[in-house]
Amino acid sequence: MEHKTYSTLPPEAILIRREVFMEEQGFQNEFDDIDSMATHLVLFDGDTPAAVCRFFPGEEPGVYIFGRLAVRKDYRGRHLGSIVLKAAEDAVLAAGGSAIHLHAQVQASPFYQKQGYAEYGPMDYDEHTPHIWMSKHLTH
């Protein structure tokens, strides 16, 4: 597995996010203006895109917003989510960031907790799906 970093939304990210978020989970508003300003990471198995995420600078200095982590169905159970998340954390640190905030689906919060993220704030809904804000302070 190798990952590639893109400064614009690559077609491989569109493919994965459409499959996971729209076709599997039923989200309607998957793509937004943030895609044009975010950094996108795509994890490949040879030439096949397997997982994706995006991140971008938040409003607070040193804080980045992470999101749109998706792993294709055939690749689940191989810890690819952890690999992509770690690659994003490393990229944020390299860019001078010190923390990551993310808006997780509540059903995914145990995954993020295992990666060192803590919940904060009230639960809310994104397209009728419960979400919770989570954060992690990064260290070298």
Side-chain angles (χ1 to χ4, degrees), residues 27-101:
F27 284 90
Q28 302 289 314
N29 302 312
E30 173 53 24
F31 302 99
D32 57 27
D33 291 342
I34 293 170
D35 284 325
S36 65
M37 63 173 269
T39 299
H40 303 270
L41 287 175
V42 180
L43 185 66
F44 287 85
D45 180 12
D47 292 334
T48 305
V52 67
C53 75
R54 75 178 186 187
F55 59 91
F56 55 95
E59 293 180 10
E60 300 172 54
V63 175
Y64 281 70
I65 309 299
F66 174 89
R68 301 304 205 264
L69 172 61
V71 178
R72 295 175 90 177
K73 190 178 282 189
D74 291 347
Y75 288 91
R76 294 184 191 148
R78 301 185 194 181
H79 306 288
L80 300 188
S82 300
I83 293 169
V84 171
L85 182 56
K86 176 69 171 120
E89 290 173 356
D90 291 346
V92 166
L93 279 170
S98 58
I100 293 180
H101 292 190

Side-chain angles (χ1 to χ4, degrees), residues 78-131:
R78 301 185 194 181
H79 306 288
L80 300 188
S82 300
I83 293 169
V84 171
L85 182 56
K86 176 69 171 120
E89 290 173 356
D90 291 346
V92 166
L93 279 170
S98 58
I100 293 180
H101 292 190
L102 56 90
H103 197 222
Q105 292 182 23
V106 169
Q107 57 88 16
S109 66
F111 162 77
Y112 290 110
Q113 288 173 347
K114 288 179 187 172
Q115 311 306 316
Y117 288 78
E119 295 179 353
Y120 71 91
M123 186 189 73
D124 59 5
Y125 288 84
D126 183 358
E127 290 195 46
H128 307 289
T129 301
H131 281 67

